[in-house]
Amino acid sequence: MRLFSVSTLLLFFSSSGLALQIQCYQCEEMTHDCSTPEFIVNCTVNVQDMCQKEVLVKDDGIHYRKSCASSGACLIASSGYQQFCTGKLNSVCITCCNTPLCNGPRQKKRPQPSAAMTLSTSRLHVLLLLLSSVLC
């Protein structure tokens, strides 16, 4: 019965548009920062929950790779390349973040949370509360 209740809740949240989705910039081996609207993609709902940014320093300049990623894969990649993130020739820096378009350029001033982000966060809290009440 609990499994049925949890499945029903998850189906309800997914079908009612309450599923969690993030937008990220996506490009491959660009020599410019590719943080413009034509490079924005919608990540796979509830699978790709982070944005990833790779900055590579090569002979011909700085190259960028940006994409959606799952948190596990991104965090493993970023920690694995940490020793190669020197800023010098052949440097590779991989960073992960979990807010919309966070793999774009750095913000000079931290923006206020948007209504959409606040709504997504509150939806997550409601989902967690409902799941915990069903499972307890």
Side-chain angles (χ1 to χ4, degrees):
M1 184 62 184
R2 279 188 184 171
L3 180 59
F4 176 73
S5 299
V6 171
S7 299
T8 303
L9 280 173
L10 289 174
L11 182 61
F12 168 74
F13 278 102
S14 297
S15 64
S16 64
L18 298 179
L20 303 175
Q21 184 175 42
I22 190 171
Q23 286 187 319
C24 300
Y25 292 102
Q26 180 171 298
C27 61
E28 284 289 327
E29 291 284 332
M30 303 292 284
T31 54
H32 60 85
D33 193 11
C34 70
S35 296
T36 53
E38 65 265 23
F39 293 103
I40 296 173
V41 297
N42 292 319
C43 301
T44 304
V45 177
N46 293 331
V47 175
Q48 295 174 314
D49 54 350
M50 295 193 111
C51 298
Q52 181 171 316
K53 179 178 181 178
E54 295 181 46
V55 180
L56 303 95
V57 180
K58 296 186 171 186
D59 290 332
D60 61 342
I62 298 174
H63 292 248
Y64 297 89
R65 279 190 205 136
K66 298 181 180 189
S67 63
C68 298
S70 68
S71 54
C74 193
L75 294 172
I76 288 170
S78 66
S79 65
Y81 278 90
Q82 195 169 21
Q83 63 185 340
F84 303 110
C85 184
T86 63
K88 299 177 182 177
L89 186 62
N90 298 319
S91 171
V92 179
C93 299
I94 300 176
T95 55
C96 310
C97 53
N98 62 359
T99 57
L101 305 176
C102 59
N103 63 343
R106 287 190 174 197
Q107 299 291 327
K108 293 191 187 328
K109 184 179 175 184
R110 190 171 186 169
Q112 295 296 321
S114 68
M117 253 325 267
T118 305
L119 188 56
S120 292
T121 303
S122 61
R123 287 178 183 165
L124 179 59
H125 290 290
V126 169
L127 175 62
L128 292 174
L129 285 171
L130 287 171
L131 284 174
S132 66
S133 67
V134 167
L135 294 174
C136 293

